[in-house]
Amino acid sequence: MIRNLIWDIAHHYPNPTPFMDVDVMWFDAENTDRMIDEELENQLREKLNGAH
């Protein structure tokens, strides 16, 4: 979604490009374990499974 917005603005597209995925950015200085990142990613995949 973020990528498409930037792309559309940069190329002066009059209509928004449909998005095919979701961009998620987050940072937690107290929580830097890669396993937590993977677990959150899996939870998002489960929630978005089949959503188009």
Side-chain angles (χ1 to χ4, degrees):
M1 189 181 306
I2 294 170
R3 176 242 172 248
N4 288 13
L5 176 63
I6 301 298
W7 184 267
D8 292 347
I9 291 170
H11 293 89
H12 307 287
Y13 287 3
N15 299 312
T17 303
F19 60 90
M20 304 303 287
D21 63 359
V22 175
D23 298 318
V24 177
M25 299 184 313
W26 76 287
F27 176 76
D28 183 350
E30 302 293 318
N31 199 346
T32 59
D33 185 348
R34 177 68 187 148
M35 294 299 292
I36 293 170
D37 292 348
E38 291 173 5
E39 177 59 30
L40 290 171
E41 187 174 336
N42 289 335
Q43 288 177 24
L44 286 170
R45 275 200 185 100
E46 287 176 14
K47 289 180 186 282
L48 294 173
N49 189 21
H52 295 282

